[in-house]
Amino acid sequence: MLDTSARLLRLLSLLQTPRAWPGSELAERLGVSGRTIRNDIDRLRELGYPVDATRGATGGYRLGAGAAMPPLLLDDEEAVAVTIALRIAARGAVPGTAETSLQALAKVEQVLPSRLRRRVRTLQAYTVAVPADRPAPAVSADVLTTLVSACRDQEQLRFDYLDHAGRPSRRIVEPYRAVNWGQRWYLVAWDVEREDWRTFRVDRIQPRTPTGPRFAPREPPGGDIAAYVSRRVSGAAWRHHARVTVHAPAAAVVERINPAVGTVEAIDADTCLLITGADTVQTLALHLGMLDFDFDVTEPPELVDHLRRLADRYGRATPPVH
C-alpha cells in the first residue's frame, strides 16, 4: 500500500485525466477502501484542489477548473518553465512529442493561476524562435489546445475555415481527434450541417468561442483514425501524384512504406500498384528508390523526366562494366 503522500499524488494524477472516476474504481486502483478515498478527496480539497463529485451511473470524482498551482508540486518559476516548454514542444519542435505535449499542456493550463498565465502569454508574445529549414505550416498552440479540449469535453465547436483554394466557410462540428500527419495537424470531426465526417487542416481553422453544447460521441470513421486521416488527406497534401507498378508482392512493399508515403494495392502475387505522391518530384523519386524494387512509372511527365536525368547521372557516376 502506498503511503499517504504518494497515494495523494497518485490520486491527483488520476483525477487530472479527462474523465470522472467512481470511488470504487479509485479505491481499486490505489488498493485502499472507499472510506480512505473519501478522506483523501477531502485532503486534496483542503490543499486547494476543487475536486467535483457527481452522482449517478456516469458520475464520480474529477478535478475541476480554476485551481491554484500549489508549491508542493511546482513553484511559480517551474510552472512557467514547464508551460513554455510544452508550448514549444506542441509546435512540433521535438518530433514525436507534439500530441503528448498537448495533453500535458491542457492539464497544466487547467490549474495555472491567472497571474502565471499572464507571464506565459507575455513570454510567448515577446520571444521569437528561429524557424526550421523546412518549417511546417504555422499552427497556434492556443488553437490546438482549444481543439483537443473540445474533443476531450465532447463539446460542439464553431470555427471559420479556409479550404485549399482559400475560400472561407463557417463550420459547426463535433470534434473527435487532432491528428499529426507529416508536418501538419488535422482535426477529424463530424460536420453537423453536412452530416458526414470531415478532416480539417488545423492551420486553416479559426475557432469561435464559446464552444457549443455537449454531444454524444459517435463511432469513429474507419476504425483506425490515423489510417483514415492518411487516406483522406494524403492526395490533397501532395503537389505531385504517381501511380507506380512495383514488381514485388504487395506485402513486401507495405513493409517498406508508411501511410504518409502512399497506399498499396495488389495486382497479382508478384506485382502491386503503389499510389503515392510528394511535394516535389525529387522527394518522390527518393521514395521510389528507397523501395529497392524494380518499378514502372509512366506519369506524371515531370517525374519520368527526373528519373531519366537521375539514370543518366548515376550512369556517368559509375565506371563502365567490362
Side-chain angles (χ1 to χ4, degrees), residues 69-96:
M69 182 69 72
L72 67 90
L73 292 180
L74 290 174
D75 63 24
D76 288 358
E77 299 302 325
E78 291 170 339
V80 171
V82 168
T83 306
I84 292 296
L86 288 171
R87 283 182 177 272
I88 293 172
R91 298 190 192 111
V94 182

Side-chain angles (χ1 to χ4, degrees), residues 10-146:
R10 176 59 178 155
L11 175 59
L12 181 59
S13 177
L14 291 172
L15 292 174
Q16 286 178 330
T17 57
R19 55 162 293 187
W21 289 89
S24 57
E25 188 172 350
L26 290 174
E28 182 180 353
R29 287 288 189 106
L30 300 178
V32 296
S33 66
R35 180 178 180 180
T36 299
I37 290 297
R38 291 190 292 273
N39 291 336
D40 286 349
I41 292 294
D42 290 338
R43 290 190 182 98
L44 288 178
R45 288 168 175 163
E46 291 171 358
L47 291 170
Y49 292 100
V51 181
D52 298 331
T54 55
R55 298 182 180 276
T58 60
Y61 297 105
R62 66 185 303 168
L63 191 66
M69 182 69 72
L72 67 90
L73 292 180
L74 290 174
D75 63 24
D76 288 358
E77 299 302 325
E78 291 170 339
V80 171
V82 168
T83 306
I84 292 296
L86 288 171
R87 283 182 177 272
I88 293 172
R91 298 190 192 111
V94 182
T97 64
E99 183 176 357
T100 52
S101 297
L102 280 171
Q103 293 170 352
L105 180 60
K107 290 182 180 180
V108 172
E109 290 195 332
Q110 179 182 3
V111 295
L112 203 62
S114 59
R115 69 180 186 282
L116 298 186
R117 287 197 188 97
R118 288 195 294 269
R119 291 176 58 182
V120 169
R121 289 168 183 166
T122 299
L123 285 169
Q124 184 184 20
Y126 292 95
T127 56
V128 178
V130 176
D133 293 337
R134 298 182 63 185
V139 174
S140 164
D142 289 335
V143 170
L144 275 171
T145 303
T146 298

Side-chain angles (χ1 to χ4, degrees), residues 165-225:
R167 294 184 295 263
S169 62
R170 185 167 297 175
R171 304 298 183 95
I172 301 175
V173 304
E174 297 175 359
Y176 178 70
R177 290 290 188 276
V179 179
N180 182 220
W181 187 87
Q183 288 188 308
R184 297 185 175 97
W185 280 92
Y186 295 88
L187 175 68
V188 178
W190 176 266
D191 192 307
V192 174
E193 295 180 345
R194 291 160 179 79
E195 297 185 339
D196 197 7
W197 289 97
R198 292 289 189 269
T199 304
F200 303 95
R201 280 262 300 267
V202 172
D203 56 297
R204 296 173 180 167
I205 290 176
Q206 184 58 51
R208 289 179 167 268
T209 55
T211 52
R214 293 176 64 89
F215 60 87
R218 301 174 184 271
E219 191 69 24
D224 184 340
I225 199 66

